[in-house]
Amino acid sequence: MPTTDQDARALTYLAKRLREETHGANRWDEAGIFAVIAKRAGQNLAATIEAVTRHAADATAKTPGAINRPFTPPPPSEQRDRYLPPKRGEDCPRHPGQWATSCGGCEADTRADDEPATPPRAWDAGDAPTGIAACRAALAGAKTEGEDV
């Protein structure tokens, strides 16, 4: 199905809206968008729609002329794809390696009704005797009569 003048007007509106909603993208002039899309009249409508939407949503495309170039996706952000474990003092005292503010272990404990909903009182990571005493107290509470640990 070929692209028509009416399709070009609709795609111009769509491209302008996408540019407004794309974070970090500069605005495109409506007349410039229409001029680029109108040159694609008679070409495959699906290919035109794909080119317009991909480039309009790409913050690195500076002008509407990008619609006529092949689309190459921007490189993924390293921060978005990388898991960052919590630093000392930011992790859950009950479930090391989990963020204290969003601990999956505490969430599971809460759902199972085994543990209180809030994380336990954190102790200073450098205070080894207090940590050892807390661990021993937790183990002593877990023992039942006649059981050797």
Side-chain angles (χ1 to χ4, degrees), residues 16-28 55-63 74:
K16 187 170 183 190
R17 290 273 297 137
L18 284 170
R19 290 306 285 185
E20 291 170 359
E21 298 298 323
T22 302
H23 180 69
N26 58 336
R27 302 287 186 252
W28 284 355
H55 287 290
D58 181 13
T60 62
K62 300 298 179 199
T63 67

Side-chain angles (χ1 to χ4, degrees), residues 60-141:
T60 62
K62 300 298 179 199
T63 67
I67 294 170
N68 291 327
R69 293 191 295 269
F71 180 75
T72 54
S77 170
E78 288 182 28
Q79 280 295 88
R80 189 178 339 133
D81 297 335
R82 193 172 65 184
Y83 172 74
L84 298 173
K87 295 178 182 173
R88 177 179 283 176
E90 295 175 340
D91 59 346
C92 176
R94 187 173 283 136
H95 305 102
Q98 296 281 331
W99 288 93
T101 55
S102 59
C103 178
C106 287
E107 177 68 24
D109 292 344
T110 301
R111 289 177 186 245
D113 292 326
D114 291 338
E115 298 288 332
T118 57
R121 179 187 64 81
W123 58 81
D124 183 14
D127 186 11
T130 305
I132 292 169
C135 289
R136 286 187 175 146
L139 287 173

